[in-house]
Amino acid sequence: MKISTPNTPHLAQPEFQDVYEPAEDSYLLLDALEQDLDTQSPLLVVEIGSGSGIISSALSSCYPEAIVLATDVNTSACQATLNTASLNQNKNIQVVRTDFLQCLWDRVKGKVDLLVCNPPYVATDEVELGSKGIEASWAGGHLGLDLTRRIVENLNEILSPNGISYLVLEQCNKPDEFIEEIRTEHGLTCEKVLSRRAGREFLTVIKIKR
Amino acid sequence: MKLLTHNMLTSKNMKTVTTGYPLIIQARDVKVMEVEFRAEFISRMIPKIDWECLCRAAEDLGHLNDLPKSVPDNYENDEDFLKKAHHVMLEVEVINGDLICPESSRKFPVTDGIPNMLLNEDEI
């Protein structure tokens, strides 16, 4: 499935300085999705932490027959996502400012066909968590797995019966151990889709389903 | 914020709230825009939405028109119905306004079509 990289020239504007600009991790996720997504047609696509909106926009273009809910805690990111959608002619994206789908949970649980997240994966102290600004895009707490683990713990509840999730991991997350945790503690299927070195980071996109 | 999105939002994660649904819409700016009709999308989406909430929201925005109060049997083949559902779900957007929790009266602002549902630490 061919995925064109959405245009995001507006991110250079000062109002978006607090928004995570697409980087190697974003592009790796796009490449992984392009490589791995099949012709299944999801109805409800959700992104946690949409940032610039580049991933949601790409998915929206891929799946015009779906509704894409892009969420973020950062106000600027929400606006950036909206602008990205508009610039790339995406008609089926909706943006909501929320923390971890909290305001959507009760209504979307069991219905999400595709859940995507490029999480804050950098290992940090707990005290750096809780920001709603740019730090929220990288501060990942212990082993950098704070948000990632929270997603995995809730996947059984949020995914539809054939729902799939794609997440980005970095080597500081100890991916092999974490994948094992996903399999044994949550009874989910998990595989690596694509890996790439990016500077000092070594990134891996994983795919999780029942 | 389309009414389809509003259909998915609750304030249930607030600690004082039991159901938090549906959120009451107090709109200041509403936009109606043409969206390509896709019968299959609407058909697949109908079972996932709360129809009563959708009707109430449409009514609050003055867009109820002749939308049926309940989903007809054999709706998948009723193009007339699907088109009415499509209009209300996807073509009516709240640009600015507030969503109000029916239990706590807490207001969640909608700005430029984006609902801000973020809670304060003491509300969770």
Side-chain angles (χ1 to χ4, degrees), chain A residues 44-115:
Chain A
L44 183 56
V45 177
V46 175
E47 182 175 14
I48 297 178
S50 60
S52 64
I54 193 172
I55 303 294
S56 276
S57 177
L59 289 172
S60 168
S61 303
C62 256
Y63 297 120
E65 303 262 340
I67 187 88
V68 178
L69 295 181
T71 69
D72 207 291
V73 295
N74 180 334
T75 303
S76 307
C78 288
Q79 191 60 53
T81 298
L82 200 68
N83 287 25
T84 300
S86 175
L87 236 105
N88 292 278
Q89 321 280 345
N90 302 128
K91 306 276 193 258
N92 55 334
I93 287 187
Q94 289 281 273
V95 184
V96 178
R97 186 179 185 210
T98 180
D99 188 4
F100 192 77
L101 309 185
Q102 278 177 340
C103 66
L104 292 157
W105 195 262
D106 212 49
R107 294 285 296 127
V108 304
K109 62 186 181 192
K111 296 174 184 160
V112 178
D113 301 308
L114 180 58
L115 179 70

Side-chain angles (χ1 to χ4, degrees), chain B residues 21-122:
Chain B
Y21 187 84
L23 299 174
I24 301 157
I25 306 177
Q26 236 173 38
R28 286 189 299 280
D29 304 300
V30 176
K31 196 167 76 175
V32 179
M33 53 196 290
E34 210 175 301
V35 175
E36 189 185 335
F37 172 66
R38 294 174 191 266
E40 203 190 317
F41 171 80
I42 301 296
S43 201
R44 288 174 72 196
M45 207 63 203
I46 299 280
K48 300 192 195 291
I49 62 167
D50 184 306
W51 190 255
E52 202 182 306
C53 167
L54 185 71
C55 285
R56 178 111 64 96
E59 191 170 22
D60 286 349
L61 296 183
H63 280 269
L64 184 63
N65 300 325
D66 51 355
L67 189 73
K69 288 274 191 276
S70 59
V71 178
D73 296 329
N74 198 32
Y75 64 87
E76 298 101 319
N77 300 311
D78 187 342
E79 188 166 293
D80 191 57
F81 168 76
L82 292 177
K83 281 189 167 159
K84 286 176 183 164
H86 159 86
H87 172 70
V88 166
M89 279 162 64
L90 300 181
E91 295 189 323
V92 181
E93 294 211 33
V94 178
I95 305 300
N96 294 300
D98 290 292
L99 303 178
I100 306 169
C101 169
E103 288 168 54
S104 68
S105 299
R106 206 273 205 197
K107 284 188 179 180
F108 297 95
V110 180
T111 315
D112 292 334
I114 303 171
N116 180 0
M117 307 300 299
L118 210 63
L119 294 172
N120 303 318
E121 269 184 43
D122 58 352

